[in-house]
Amino acid sequence: VYLENIDFALVLAARRRNAAVLEQALAALADAGKLRPLCKSGTTAGLYYPILLENRDAVQQALAHRNIYCPVIWPIPAQAEGICETCEATAAHILALPCDQRYTEQDMATIAETLKAIVTGE
């Protein structure tokens, strides 16, 4: 019954809008090579906006200290270690920025500004 009352078009629109806000706000960092987005806002509809960055663990911890939780969504299980270098590199650098429908555009702007300050050391 619960799922029958969800307007999935609105959910999709909110997620894409939030991803677009992050994409635009982080474009300068991407252009400067400080991070790499892994999707385009027009095609994503996920819970997260995934990015790659060199110092993922330090950035994740700094964001958490500012009450922004970004999970590591792709850990490599021990039995799969050493099989795929690309997978391991991605797993070591991916950070998932929240962008689902529960958040507002202002939330996305706050996440982006906080991330920018951390990455640039401001």
Side-chain angles (χ1 to χ4, degrees), residues 33-92:
K34 300 284 186 182
L35 60 83
R36 184 173 142 216
L38 293 179
C39 63
K40 294 289 184 187
S41 62
T43 58
T44 191
L47 296 172
Y48 304 105
Y49 183 78
I51 61 171
L52 294 177
L53 64 167
E54 283 303 313
N55 52 349
R56 187 270 319 272
D57 293 340
V59 171
Q60 180 190 33
Q61 188 173 36
L63 287 165
H65 286 307
R66 291 167 177 86
N67 298 315
I68 300 171
Y69 176 68
C70 300
V72 173
I73 58 170
W74 198 16
I76 299 290
Q79 64 270 27
E81 288 179 7
I83 294 175
C84 176
E85 288 182 26
T86 302
C87 293
E88 289 182 15
T90 301

Side-chain angles (χ1 to χ4, degrees), residues 5-6 10-11 16-17 31 56 58 67 80 84 119:
N5 296 318
I6 294 175
L10 286 177
V11 169
R16 285 189 173 156
R17 179 196 68 234
D31 291 345
R56 187 270 319 272
N67 298 315
C84 176
V119 169

Side-chain angles (χ1 to χ4, degrees), residues 66-115:
R66 291 167 177 86
N67 298 315
I68 300 171
Y69 176 68
C70 300
V72 173
I73 58 170
W74 198 16
I76 299 290
Q79 64 270 27
E81 288 179 7
I83 294 175
C84 176
E85 288 182 26
T86 302
C87 293
E88 289 182 15
T90 301
H93 296 96
I94 193 169
L95 188 65
L97 303 176
C99 73
D100 71 58
Q101 71 280 0
R102 297 171 294 173
Y103 300 98
T104 65
E105 289 182 51
Q106 181 56 50
D107 293 329
M108 298 301 98
T110 298
I111 290 169
E113 289 303 315
T114 304
L115 180 62

